[in-house]
Amino acid sequence: MFDAVIVGGGIIGHSISYHLNKSGIHSAVIEKGQSGKKATRAAAGMLGVHTENEAPDLFHHFCLMSRNIYTSLSEELLELTGIDIGLSSFGMYQGALTAQQKEKLLVKEASFSNLKWLEGEQLKSRIPWLTESVIGALYMGEDGHVEPSHVCEAFKRGALLHGGELFEDSTVLDIEQSKDSFNIQIENEILKAGKVIIASGSESGRWFEKTGMQNPIVPTKGECFSVDDGRIGLKETLFFENFYAVPKRDGRLIIGATSKSFDSSAAVTAGGISSLMNNVFAVLPELTEAPLLDYWSGIRPGTVDGRPIIGEHPYLSGIYFATGHYRNGILLAPATGQLMRDIIKEGNNNVYGDLLSPGRLLRKGENMYEPSS
Ligand SMILES: Cc1cc2nc3c(=O)[nH]c(=O)nc-3n(C[C@H](O)[C@H](O)[C@H](O)COP(=O)(O)OP(=O)(O)OC[C@H]3O[C@@H](n4cnc5c(N)ncnc54)[C@H](O)[C@@H]3O)c2cc1C
């Protein structure tokens, strides 16, 4: 019998497994395919603490804590597993193309102590390839990015080295509560565990329904493409309202991402990629000459109120959720793993309270189930 079984082997499931097994809680991940091949593989890997937040509130604190964990985690995982998670600390520019966007970014600059607005000329002296259409950008010097697949693989191997177990190509078909444990049904076997943690990304919805809640998950498709960045040699990430460009250490430049709610289809559409191309070429025309490398899609696990769902089921003891990370699952994986470890070790003592708890979805009533825009 396992202390805990985690349903889903994406970056969230493996981070939880790593943190649980490291602290002596014997856990297994069950993954229906191969680990890290769903939303985790599609992600650009930005640690966008300040692109994702407008003010220093509690959610910003959670994001910041997670980004900061990456610094020590990067060394810890390299030493333990030999995997370099590709942490880049060159920072991000959130750019403005209109006076209205500039106004919003100046308000953001005033809300945080460590962000700096650069006028168009200053920005162009740093990135000469940008067109005059960019009127300035907010520099977020501490927000970098990682290689999502490497992080997931390092968590996976780290958990195994700490005594964890992994079942791949094994779909969880059903979960039943018996006296003081759970029976987890996979194809040809029933596993037993003291606790069950749902970390099934965009496919988590059925487990809310199975346990008497409404489904709060909003699957949100995103498409990306990549080019060889040899010509421009961008160091910092560029983030605009309608595209971002993330330069990876190996010379790939990832351009993302489209966003379509309630779409779980896998197809990469010509329209999606061409809209991204139009947006990025309007700002970085040199990229039209860059060799095209790849294109792909993935399904973000969005939620009805735009926040992740991390904590114990509101009335079923022993069932936990760690899902709904929408477009921040890579950023939030380390803090989610640590938070789940603390919740499981110390009882449901969630300092983030209603911000993240599954119970908030019940208490706020019916309107919570209207999709947020
Ligand atoms: C295009 C795109 C760009 C993104 N960019 C960023 C970014 O720059 N920064 C950032 O922080 N985030 C980003 N994200 C979001 C991030 O990818 C997700 O939030 C994160 O990967 C979610 O991780 P997860 O482990 O919850 O889900 P997943 O990676 O989808 O993993 C869930 C796993 O559960 C498994 N599963 C489902 N049902 C079952 C079952 N019944 N039995 C067994 N296994 C099951 C699935 O096979 C899957 O492997 C991006 C997402 C997309 C799509």
Side-chain angles (χ1 to χ4, degrees), residues 15 18-19 22 47 49 61-77 85 87 142 146 151 155 330-339 341-342 352:
S15 172
Y18 176 73
H19 287 95
K22 189 182 161 196
L47 308 179
V49 176
H61 180 268
F62 190 55
C63 294
L64 191 63
M65 179 176 78
S66 203
R67 187 204 69 191
N68 291 344
I69 296 170
Y70 264 116
T71 313
S72 54
L73 191 66
S74 166
E75 289 175 18
E76 180 180 313
L77 290 174
I85 64 168
L87 180 64
E142 293 160 288
V146 290
V151 180
F155 276 141
I330 310 305
L331 167 63
L332 294 175
T336 300
Q338 290 196 358
L339 183 58
R341 175 201 61 199
D342 294 346
Y352 293 95

Side-chain angles (χ1 to χ4, degrees), residues 80-92:
L80 181 66
T81 68
I83 297 173
D84 180 349
I85 64 168
L87 180 64
S88 152
S89 306
F90 282 111
M92 299 173 77

Side-chain angles (χ1 to χ4, degrees), residues 97 129-131 133-134 225-227 229 232 234 238-246 253-257 272-288 290 292:
L97 298 172
W129 307 101
L130 291 172
T131 59
S133 62
V134 185
F225 71 96
S226 61
V227 296
D229 181 35
I232 292 190
L234 206 61
L238 294 178
F239 189 97
F240 286 84
E241 278 193 2
N242 54 14
F243 81 91
Y244 53 73
V246 187
L253 184 64
I254 295 180
I255 316 290
I273 297 300
S274 79
S275 72
L276 282 177
M277 286 184 169
N278 290 338
N279 296 338
V280 68
F281 295 157
V283 169
L284 283 169
E286 285 291 323
L287 282 184
T288 51
L292 184 62

Side-chain angles (χ1 to χ4, degrees), residues 8 10-12 31-32 39-40 44-46 172 326-331:
I11 194 167
I12 298 299
E31 164 55 46
K32 72 179 192 179
T40 296
M46 288 176 290
V172 173
Y326 186 41
R327 52 189 207 184
N328 296 308
I330 310 305
L331 167 63

Side-chain angles (χ1 to χ4, degrees), residues 7-13 30-48 170-173 199-203 206-207 220-224 244 257-258 296-301 322-332:
V7 184
I11 194 167
I12 298 299
I30 307 178
E31 164 55 46
K32 72 179 192 179
Q34 293 293 300
S35 293
K37 301 287 188 233
K38 292 295 182 73
T40 296
R41 184 167 69 174
M46 288 176 290
L47 308 179
S170 301
T171 303
V172 173
L173 301 170
S200 325
S202 63
E203 295 172 87
R206 65 171 285 212
W207 302 111
T220 306
K221 179 170 165 177
E223 297 155 298
C224 294
Y244 53 73
T258 60
W296 62 92
S297 71
I299 313 300
R300 304 175 186 91
T323 186
H325 291 76
Y326 186 41
R327 52 189 207 184
N328 296 308
I330 310 305
L331 167 63
L332 294 175

Side-chain angles (χ1 to χ4, degrees), residues 172-177 182-183 185 198 204-216 313 315-316 319 321:
V172 173
L173 301 170
D174 205 359
I175 301 168
E176 293 294 344
Q177 192 157 19
F182 292 91
N183 294 330
Q185 165 121 45
I198 305 298
S204 301
R206 65 171 285 212
W207 302 111
F208 287 89
E209 287 169 345
K210 160 92 186 161
T211 58
M213 296 176 74
Q214 287 185 58
N215 176 1
H313 192 286
Y315 51 86
L316 288 179
I319 298 254
F321 295 101

Side-chain angles (χ1 to χ4, degrees), residues 84-106:
D84 180 349
I85 64 168
L87 180 64
S88 152
S89 306
F90 282 111
M92 299 173 77
Y93 291 107
Q94 185 167 5
L97 298 172
T98 65
Q100 209 183 1
Q101 289 173 6
K102 174 178 174 179
E103 209 48 49
K104 269 176 71 178
L105 292 175
L106 288 175

